[in-house]
Amino acid sequence: MKLNRRNWWFSIFTKLLVMFFVVILPVYILAIEMNDLGSRIVRNEISKSMQAQIHFYNNSLNKEIDRMVRLQREYVNDNDLLSLSVIAEGLSYYDRSTMVKQFQQKLEMMKSAGIYVTKANVYIPPIQRIVSTEELSKTLSPEVLESLRSSRDEPHKSPFFYKKGSLFLREFYPSVPTSPQRDPLFVLETEVSVPQLQQFLQQIANYEQGGAAIVSSEWMIASDTNQQEMEPMTRIVREWVKSNSNARQGIKTIQLNKQNYITAYEYSPDTDTTLLVYVPESEVLGPLKKYKGFIIIMSIVTAAIIVLVSYWVYQVIHKPMTKMVRALRNVETGNLSISLHHKSRDEFSYLYQQFNGMTAKLKTLIYEVYEQKLLMQQAELNQLQSQINPHFLYNSLYLLYRITKAQDYENSLKFTKYLGDYFRYITKKTGDDVPLEQEWHHVRTYMEIQNIRFSNRVKVMISDLPEGLHSLMVPRLILQPLVENAYNYGLENTIADGILSVSLEEDEDEIRIVVEDNGAGMSETDLAHWNSRFLSENVNVEVSGMNNVNRRLQLKFGGESGISLRSRLGGGLKVTMKIQMMKGQGEQYAALDAG
């Protein structure tokens, strides 16, 4: 049935299409809104984190700088320094040299006490000398002295002095000159390590493309060695601080080179510096924006898939339904020979099968009868398998008692081991069937136990099981009853030269397990009686022994399988257990064993 314009809006295809879009569209709109909400939340959390981070680091830096300034001021009142700058001319060369050496050691202590101190100097104009941590003393040149004068006379809000990429902390004595032309008595100078400050800033900038900087009105130190790239950003931050004197800290978004940067800053009035941290917005919110793009692409792909799926559902549902309607109309006319077939294994396949079953009720009844027969056979099998003679347990325990009492410890150990293996096999719960290999091993163990019991009066022989039959599943405990009957009824009164053998013969469609003994045997009347019972279907399920085994074999492998008896040449009895194999079943078990 083809769609046309008249019934397009009322077709199943259109209804499915609308239904899918009504269900999916709100989900995608909600996903986009949640993505935008997540972006805002992440941005706010990052901003708060950056503000807290920059406040912590700025506070730590200011405390360290304040400590360095206070330490420097403590050295202003040093006696050696005052003596060198005030009464140096009245000192002997030795005393002056000693004072210089002592004060150099104090400068070393001041350098060691500061985290960011790389060098400490003292300029003493009265004696035209410079005492430094790097060298004991050198001459104070007029150029350096003039530079000190100019830096003293310049107004400074910050304790820092910046010159040619180096940063200094200076303390003049006296701090207020009596006249502009008068030189200071001495100048204490601490050089702040710019590389260590850059390492400090790199700790703050914990994003791959982010950065940090310390900005003053005259200089800047950035975590990135290429400071030119940060010039536009620092210029904007200076303008913020200058225009908002009350706003000591804040979060701003700066756009540079078509990229937005989330920038956090905090101004320190004591040092007249601003600490700022920036991070590209794309690095923080990039994954969320990519996810939003993915949602849009996913929406487009989903829309296309919805159209295809709706059309496919239309084809899968409408056509089989039309076919079913036509078939029902044929049934209404009395045509019961119609049969429906469906290639796919879906619900219509089930409906078609039920429809076909409705026209073939006899097959359904036959199937039900066959199933009931299988259930009855399984119940009978379970009942037969529950019949295990307990007499062997009593005889074995009494035999073990006699062996132990006779102090025959060697046979006692063997007998105990065999007996343990024997009872472990018959008591474990492994289901109705076991591999023939396990059953073969079990009967071998049983024969070893009986061999001890008969004190080697009976010679036992059991052939090796072919590898191709190891995995053949057989009912449990089908061999032991045959061997047990041979001991109990055939060889019980044998004094010497008893023979008991278990062998296997294999044909293409049949396996024969033969148990022979040279014991008392049976009369022809008894043989005929037992063989007739094996062939009869009216078996008393209460019996045990060979009749039990025969019935279990018939239930497992069919009526052609079972047990037959005949006299052995030379005396005794020959019991043959026949297992009828399906065609190719032997090769399957051989393949399993080879694998």
Side-chain angles (χ1 to χ4, degrees):
M1 179 178 178
K2 296 183 178 180
L3 294 175
N4 53 58
R5 294 182 179 179
R6 178 176 296 179
N7 59 10
W8 170 266
W9 293 107
F10 303 97
S11 65
I12 297 176
F13 172 75
T14 306
K15 294 177 181 177
L16 289 172
L17 202 63
V18 172
M19 180 193 68
F20 279 128
F21 275 113
V22 168
V23 172
I24 297 297
L25 193 59
V27 175
Y28 280 99
I29 293 175
L30 181 61
I32 294 175
E33 287 297 323
M34 291 181 64
N35 181 264
D36 293 338
L37 178 61
S39 299
R40 292 192 295 271
I41 293 174
V42 170
R43 183 186 180 88
N44 292 335
E45 292 299 322
I46 292 294
S47 299
K48 292 178 182 179
S49 175
M50 290 176 66
Q51 282 183 329
Q53 181 187 32
I54 201 169
H55 177 73
F56 171 80
Y57 282 105
N58 191 46
N59 189 41
S60 301
L61 180 61
N62 287 331
K63 286 183 178 179
E64 180 61 22
I65 294 171
D66 182 68
R67 192 178 68 84
M68 291 166 59
V69 171
R70 286 188 287 105
L71 182 63
Q72 197 176 52
R73 288 176 180 173
E74 290 178 3
Y75 280 86
V76 171
N77 299 320
D78 184 83
N79 292 329
D80 292 334
L81 183 57
L82 290 174
S83 298
L84 289 172
S85 59
V86 176
I87 60 172
E89 294 179 355
L91 298 174
S92 64
Y93 177 80
Y94 174 79
D95 292 335
R96 189 169 61 181
S97 299
T98 302
M99 291 180 180
V100 169
K101 181 64 176 178
Q102 291 176 352
F103 194 76
Q104 186 190 37
Q105 293 176 356
K106 295 175 182 178
L107 290 177
E108 287 287 348
M109 293 175 60
M110 185 171 64
K111 174 186 174 182
S112 302
I115 300 176
Y116 304 108
V117 177
T118 183
K119 184 173 67 172
N121 302 322
V122 60
Y123 302 93
I124 310 174
I127 62 174
Q128 299 294 311
R129 305 302 295 176
I130 303 174
V131 180
S132 174
T133 55
E134 295 183 353
E135 54 185 323
L136 183 59
S137 177
K138 68 177 181 178
T139 304
L140 177 60
S141 64
E143 292 80 11
V144 175
L145 183 58
E146 182 61 29
S147 174
L148 292 174
R149 289 173 187 164
S150 61
S151 63
R152 181 193 64 179
D153 297 334
E154 292 176 1
H156 276 86
K157 294 175 61 177
S158 171
F160 291 109
F161 294 84
Y162 187 83
K163 185 178 180 181
K164 296 181 180 179
S166 299
L167 195 61
F168 304 95
L169 290 172
R170 288 175 179 171
E171 188 67 32
F172 293 87
Y173 184 84
S175 58
V176 179
T178 56
S179 65
Q181 291 78 19
R182 185 162 182 170
D183 296 331
L185 290 178
F186 58 84
V187 180
L188 277 169
E189 181 186 84
T190 303
E191 183 176 349
V192 180
S193 175
V194 174
Q196 289 187 9
L197 285 178
Q198 289 178 336
Q199 291 180 3
F200 168 77
L201 295 173
Q202 288 173 0
Q203 294 177 3
I204 306 175
N206 52 5
Y207 289 91
E208 183 177 354
Q209 299 180 13
I214 301 175
V215 181
S216 178
S217 58
E218 300 175 358
W219 51 270
M220 176 192 69
I221 298 175
S223 60
D224 193 353
T225 55
N226 189 3
Q227 299 188 6
Q228 294 181 355
E229 295 181 359
M230 293 193 63
E231 284 293 339
M233 185 176 296
T234 56
R235 184 173 62 253
I236 295 172
V237 172
R238 287 192 183 103
E239 293 175 359
W240 287 345
V241 175
K242 186 177 180 180
S243 60
N244 300 282
S245 58
N246 295 326
R248 299 297 184 184
Q249 62 180 4
I251 293 285
K252 299 289 184 180
T253 300
I254 300 176
Q255 185 176 20
L256 293 176
N257 300 324
K258 298 181 180 180
Q259 186 172 3
N260 291 332
Y261 292 87
I262 302 175
T263 306
Y265 69 92
E266 184 172 279
Y267 174 73
S268 301
D270 295 335
T271 59
D272 192 29
T273 57
T274 302
L275 181 63
L276 67 90
V277 177
Y278 68 91
V279 59
E281 193 176 73
S282 59
E283 187 172 356
V284 178
L285 304 178
L288 291 175
K289 291 183 178 179
K290 289 181 180 179
Y291 183 71
K292 184 176 181 180
F294 174 77
I295 292 176
I296 295 174
I297 296 174
M298 191 72 177
S299 301
I300 297 173
V301 173
T302 303
I305 293 176
I306 286 174
V307 174
L308 295 176
V309 170
S310 299
Y311 185 75
W312 176 78
V313 172
Y314 172 82
Q315 294 290 328
V316 168
I317 294 177
H318 183 73
K319 288 187 176 180
M321 189 177 296
T322 303
K323 187 176 181 181
M324 175 68 78
V325 170
R326 287 198 299 264
L328 289 173
R329 289 176 179 173
N330 287 331
V331 171
E332 290 177 355
T333 61
N335 184 9
L336 300 179
S337 61
I338 188 170
S339 178
L340 298 177
H341 301 282
H342 194 59
K343 295 181 179 179
S344 301
R345 296 182 179 180
D346 53 14
E347 288 78 5
F348 283 102
S349 177
Y350 173 78
L351 292 175
Y352 287 1
Q353 290 176 3
Q354 295 301 316
F355 178 84
N356 295 335
M358 190 172 57
T359 60
K361 189 64 177 179
L362 181 61
K363 292 182 180 179
T364 303
L365 294 175
I366 293 175
Y367 174 80
E368 291 176 355
V369 171
Y370 177 72
E371 185 179 22
Q372 290 177 1
K373 182 179 179 181
L374 288 180
L375 292 175
M376 291 177 62
Q377 287 182 344
Q378 184 64 37
E380 184 180 6
L381 173 60
N382 292 337
Q383 184 177 5
L384 289 174
Q385 284 186 316
S386 64
Q387 314 258 338
I388 296 178
N389 193 343
H391 295 161
F392 179 75
L393 172 62
Y394 310 141
N395 295 334
S396 299
L397 292 177
Y398 183 72
L399 177 60
L400 179 60
Y401 166 77
R402 287 192 302 160
I403 295 175
T404 307
K405 186 176 181 181
Q407 297 184 357
D408 187 0
Y409 297 121
E410 181 178 357
N411 285 329
S412 176
L413 290 174
K414 290 181 181 180
F415 188 82
T416 305
K417 199 266 181 189
Y418 293 143
L419 198 62
D421 292 343
Y422 172 84
F423 283 110
R424 181 175 59 183
Y425 180 80
I426 66 170
T427 57
K428 67 179 180 179
K429 297 180 180 180
T430 58
D432 296 329
D433 299 333
V434 295
L436 182 58
E437 180 185 17
Q438 295 183 13
E439 186 70 11
W440 203 262
H441 176 73
H442 170 69
V443 78
R444 190 189 299 271
T445 301
Y446 176 78
M447 293 172 71
E448 291 290 348
I449 294 173
Q450 293 288 26
N451 193 33
I452 295 175
R453 175 191 171 192
F454 280 80
S455 300
N456 297 323
R457 289 181 293 161
V458 178
K459 180 180 180 181
V460 296
M461 294 172 290
I462 181 170
S463 64
D464 293 331
L465 182 67
E467 291 185 2
L469 298 176
H470 283 190
S471 301
L472 175 63
M473 301 303 291
V474 298
R476 292 181 63 217
L477 299 175
I478 57 172
L479 293 179
Q480 179 194 329
L482 307 186
V483 177
E484 186 176 4
N485 284 339
Y487 277 110
N488 293 339
Y489 302 107
L491 302 171
E492 179 68 21
N493 299 320
T494 300
I495 299 176
D497 298 328
I499 297 175
L500 175 63
S501 67
V502 178
S503 59
L504 185 143
E505 301 172 358
E506 182 181 4
D507 291 336
E508 182 178 359
D509 299 324
E510 186 178 87
I511 296 173
R512 294 180 298 279
I513 299 175
V514 180
V515 179
E516 296 181 87
D517 67 83
N518 64 345
M522 284 188 181
S523 64
E524 294 297 328
T525 304
D526 291 335
L527 288 174
H529 171 73
W530 276 101
N531 285 326
S532 63
R533 294 187 65 178
F534 292 153
L535 296 175
S536 175
E537 294 183 359
N538 298 323
V539 180
N540 183 6
V541 296
E542 296 296 328
V543 299
S544 59
M546 289 192 297
N547 202 53
N548 187 315
V549 173
N550 180 74
R551 186 58 178 156
R552 291 164 66 194
L553 289 173
Q554 290 177 346
L555 290 173
K556 173 68 177 178
F557 298 104
E560 296 296 326
S561 301
I563 295 176
S564 61
L565 305 178
R566 66 186 178 90
S567 297
R568 176 178 174 273
L569 294 177
L573 185 66
K574 181 176 182 179
V575 182
T576 302
M577 176 191 296
K578 184 169 63 175
I579 298 176
Q580 194 73 24
M581 303 286 290
M582 297 175 61
K583 187 175 182 180
Q585 191 173 8
E587 288 81 0
Q588 292 179 2
Y589 286 108
L592 287 173
D593 290 331

